[in-house]
Amino acid sequence: MTLERTILQLDTGAMPADEARQMGQLGYMQWIAGLPGNADYLQAARDAFDKAAPFMAHSPTVAEFCRLLTRSLEAPLTPLPLAMPKRQRRGGAQARRSYRLPH
């Protein structure tokens, strides 16, 4: 369930490379956090790659997610370049109040 939800959330279409990289990293962290403690990581990563790979061509965030999976399989003892996005203001309460749903 977590993998399907992660792929769905990442499959957003074209976006700037830096934003796609950040979202792909967040997706990887979400996916790995959802694995059971006794999971076989290598098999889970292969399965995740197989399910996500069809979305890579039109989604740079899924492509980043798959790149991280591949790197973790090729060099399992090498740390991955994961980072939380920088904090930034996005408008806060004023932006939420100004948002109107279409009728």
Side-chain angles (χ1 to χ4, degrees):
M1 178 66 177
T2 301
L3 175 60
E4 288 80 10
R5 184 177 66 232
T6 299
I7 294 170
L8 181 66
Q9 291 171 335
L10 294 177
D11 188 20
T12 57
M15 68 175 51
D18 190 49
E19 189 175 335
R21 181 184 51 75
Q22 290 177 5
M23 285 186 63
Q25 289 178 5
L26 288 172
Y28 176 83
M29 289 186 266
Q30 174 178 295
W31 168 78
I32 199 167
L35 289 179
N38 61 349
D40 175 353
Y41 177 81
L42 297 177
Q43 188 59 50
R46 285 186 204 105
D47 292 344
F49 181 87
D50 290 344
K51 287 185 180 179
F55 301 92
M56 288 173 48
H58 63 274
S59 179
T61 56
V62 174
E64 175 65 18
F65 175 72
C66 288
R67 188 183 70 77
L68 290 166
L69 290 169
T70 301
R71 284 184 67 177
S72 73
L73 290 168
E74 291 172 349
L77 299 179
T78 305
L80 293 173
L82 301 175
M84 296 297 290
K86 293 179 183 171
R87 294 179 63 140
Q88 63 183 14
R89 294 189 54 84
R90 296 172 193 224
Q94 183 178 5
R96 286 191 300 277
R97 284 191 293 272
S98 68
Y99 180 74
R100 302 275 186 236
L101 292 174
H103 294 257

